[in-house]
Amino acid sequence: MNHKLFPLVSADIALFSLGDDRLQVLLVRRTDAPHKGHWALPGAVLKPEIDQRLEDTARRALREKLGVEVPFLQQLRVFDGPLRDPRGWSVSVLYCALLQRDRVRATAQFRVDEICWADADAVGDLAFDHRAHVAAARDDLRGRVRDRALPLHLLPEKFTLTQLQRVCELVLRQDSSDPLALDKGAFRRRLTGCQDFEAVEGEFERGPQRPAQLYRASPGFRF
Amino acid sequence: MNHKLFPLVSADIALFSLGDDRLQVLLVRRTDAPHKGHWALPGAVLKPEIDQRLEDTARRALREKLGVEVPFLQQLRVFDGPLRDPRGWSVSVLYCALLQRDRVRATAQFRVDEICWADADAVGDLAFDHRAHVAAARDDLRGRVRDRALPLHLLPEKFTLTQLQRVCELVLRQDSSDPLALDKGAFRRRLTGCQDFEAVEGEFERGPQRPAQLYRASPGFRF
DNA sequence: TAAATAGTGTCTATCAGACAATATCGT
DNA sequence: ACGATATTGTCTGATAGACACTATTTA
């Protein structure tokens, strides 16, 4: 089979999560050539006989390599060319996913593949052109949150508005010294009428202060 | 060569232009199987031995099939799956381009391939899943213009602000009965400080009224 | 001068940021 | 009552839409 006549098609995933009060992205150490031993985004080559959609390829990669299931995969863009993969002409479709950190630990911690969380703004050299993938996905994520999208999947199932605000601040903050803080009043005002989440009636986060109403993502929420 | 093991990779282009005071998209009648004789977006299958980038595939399709050169190609998204092309598992990368109508007529009118301009909001059934391609590209274009992007490539090289406003109105208008009109004052106010275009000093559009300053897109303008 | 379109100014409702005030818990 | 955080309210400057006004050409 001559690879020169058919491009390699793969799906790669930028899986983001919050850790150490920073936006981080999941990396895996490659166990096979090419770039064996180097860090890369999780991904897989499309298997036409198995995958019904390229998104299935992405989900398969996350499941097989990490044992992770994500609630939503956002197709971002394509990276292509004859040189980005030493095996030849290749097409990589980049997907973006968000996941609460605990959900990854719970399912992936016993896998043998070596993984790590890298700061989204300080990734080192990666295999292929994955560094550009991370930059594109991170910028897209920031842009969406700046444009008022709510990254609810970075939060636990039930969350308070203060936690939601904190998550948005961490996503938007480009470096830890940045004292970016959203205004509480303005933040909550713009959430009124938002259909993306709903109050869990009668449930509150309790502590040594006034209880905080708990919310959850709406059934059809995507992001 | 077994196609079942390698997906077909192609680039398709939604080329928009203004005609009949409406946003229209260029269609070509297919001269080969599959879907021979049906209308479709212009596109081509990636040739790894020729194309250095998928964008080159798109440009090659426009050049070979239509004799058209576009100033900018915007990669939009991927359509994929085993059923969208009867030849088997396929991946189509959709590109969007804008072009002043005259530029297409000037270069493409003598080509033998049959072409037509279809209203972006009233395309009939097309080959493959190209109807969804058109919808995605049209909605993306509208969204960008709604978010203040200026589709300068739909205009002649030199244009007046009134013409620019008219073009934005036509792009945003979803059907001809829609009386959508942008406010002249607000439209011009938001253009102050815009770096996307610049005045052509000393050049004016003349007529039976006060002369109108002519503008042109800035050198590095992309859209 | 009239017609026509270019270009600018004003008024106001709305909104986001800044900041303050109030509410309700645990202790 | 006190500490702590949740939630709501007020003030104000900036902005977009609506609309009116002025400017400059040809006929």
Side-chain angles (χ1 to χ4, degrees):
Chain A
M1 199 68 68
N2 187 351
H3 277 194
K4 301 302 176 193
L5 290 178
F6 290 93
L8 206 61
V9 176
S10 60
D12 294 298
I13 306 100
L15 177 60
F16 291 102
S17 180
L18 294 176
D20 297 333
D21 276 356
R22 284 195 289 269
L23 183 66
Q24 299 183 321
V25 63
L26 182 68
L27 301 179
V28 300
R29 194 190 288 275
R30 289 184 58 80
T31 56
D32 301 300
H35 298 303
K36 178 174 179 175
H38 289 77
W39 292 100
L41 291 179
V45 174
L46 167 69
K47 293 185 179 178
E49 70 278 18
I50 294 180
D51 307 318
Q52 289 298 111
R53 297 295 307 273
L54 218 28
E55 186 176 317
D56 296 336
T57 309
R59 290 191 187 279
R60 184 166 55 76
L62 292 177
R63 194 167 44 240
E64 292 179 355
K65 294 196 177 182
L66 303 161
V68 168
E69 298 283 345
V70 294
F72 182 60
L73 277 168
Q74 169 81 37
Q75 182 196 291
L76 287 190
R77 54 160 291 191
V78 169
F79 291 83
D80 58 271
L83 302 176
R84 54 173 301 280
D85 187 314
R87 288 168 287 187
W89 229 106
S90 64
V91 174
S92 160
V93 180
L94 173 62
Y95 287 86
C96 174
L98 307 180
L99 207 55
Q100 193 210 353
R101 176 63 55 93
D102 291 346
R103 300 225 179 188
V104 179
R105 271 214 292 268
T107 57
Q109 60 183 334
F110 298 121
R111 293 271 162 170
V112 291
D113 291 349
E114 198 172 355
I115 71 170
C116 80
W117 291 96
D119 288 1
D121 292 286
V123 290
D125 282 332
L126 301 181
F128 309 108
D129 48 358
H130 283 188
R131 195 175 188 182
H133 290 233
V134 170
R138 174 240 296 153
D139 293 347
D140 178 88
L141 171 57
R142 285 229 177 86
R144 288 164 163 272
V145 173
R146 198 182 324 110
D147 293 346
R148 308 304 167 81
L150 299 173
L152 301 187
H153 290 312
L154 291 175
L155 289 155
E157 187 194 347
K158 298 176 182 177
F159 54 86
T160 69
L161 296 189
T162 301
Q163 291 167 351
L164 174 56
Q165 179 178 345
R166 175 80 177 142
V167 164
C168 288
E169 288 168 351
L170 291 178
V171 169
L172 292 173
R173 173 153 53 185
Q174 300 199 211
D175 62 284
S176 303
S177 61
D178 188 347
L180 167 62
L182 303 176
D183 181 79
K184 186 166 53 170
F187 183 77
R188 285 164 182 251
R189 194 170 345 116
R190 87 183 194 207
L191 294 180
T192 57
C194 176
Q195 300 295 309
D196 289 341
F197 63 93
E198 56 196 20
V200 185
E201 298 297 343
E203 292 203 35
F204 299 88
E205 179 88 356
R206 301 191 167 271
Q209 74 280 8
R210 173 173 173 175
Q213 175 67 54
L214 282 170
Y215 297 84
R216 73 158 73 89
S218 298
F221 175 76
R222 308 279 76 165
F223 179 44
Chain B
M1 201 66 71
N2 188 351
H3 275 195
K4 302 301 178 192
L5 290 178
F6 290 93
L8 206 62
V9 175
S10 60
D12 295 298
I13 306 99
L15 177 61
F16 291 101
S17 181
L18 294 176
D20 296 334
D21 276 356
R22 285 195 288 268
L23 183 67
Q24 299 182 321
V25 63
L26 182 67
L27 301 179
V28 300
R29 194 190 289 275
R30 289 184 59 80
T31 56
D32 301 300
H35 297 303
K36 180 174 179 177
H38 289 78
W39 292 100
L41 291 179
V45 173
L46 168 69
K47 293 184 179 178
E49 71 279 18
I50 294 179
D51 306 318
Q52 289 298 111
R53 298 294 308 274
L54 218 28
E55 186 175 318
D56 296 337
T57 309
R59 290 192 186 279
R60 184 167 52 78
L62 292 177
R63 193 165 46 240
E64 294 179 354
K65 294 195 177 184
L66 302 160
V68 168
E69 298 281 347
V70 295
F72 181 60
L73 277 169
Q74 168 80 36
Q75 182 196 292
L76 287 190
R77 53 160 291 189
V78 170
F79 291 84
D80 58 272
L83 303 176
R84 55 173 300 280
D85 187 314
R87 289 168 287 187
W89 230 108
S90 62
V91 174
S92 160
V93 180
L94 174 62
Y95 288 86
C96 174
L98 307 181
L99 207 56
Q100 193 209 354
R101 176 62 56 93
D102 292 346
R103 301 227 178 186
V104 179
R105 271 213 291 269
T107 56
Q109 59 183 336
F110 299 121
R111 293 270 162 171
V112 291
D113 291 349
E114 198 173 354
I115 71 170
C116 80
W117 291 97
D119 287 2
D121 292 286
V123 291
D125 283 331
L126 300 181
F128 309 109
D129 48 358
H130 283 189
R131 194 175 188 183
H133 290 233
V134 171
R138 174 240 296 153
D139 294 346
D140 178 86
L141 171 58
R142 284 230 178 86
R144 288 163 165 272
V145 172
R146 198 183 323 111
D147 293 345
R148 310 302 168 78
L150 300 173
L152 301 187
H153 290 312
L154 291 175
L155 289 155
E157 188 194 345
K158 298 177 183 177
F159 54 86
T160 68
L161 295 189
T162 301
Q163 290 167 352
L164 174 55
Q165 179 178 344
R166 174 82 177 140
V167 163
C168 288
E169 288 169 349
L170 291 178
V171 169
L172 292 173
R173 173 153 51 184
Q174 300 198 210
D175 62 283
S176 304
S177 62
D178 188 346
L180 167 63
L182 302 175
D183 181 79
K184 184 167 57 168
F187 183 77
R188 284 164 183 252
R189 193 170 344 118
R190 86 183 195 207
L191 294 180
T192 57
C194 176
Q195 300 295 308
D196 289 340
F197 62 93
E198 56 196 21
V200 186
E201 298 296 343
E203 293 203 34
F204 300 88
E205 179 88 355
R206 301 190 167 272
Q209 73 280 8
R210 173 174 173 175
Q213 175 68 54
L214 282 171
Y215 298 84
R216 73 159 72 89
S218 299
F221 175 75
R222 307 279 77 166
F223 179 45

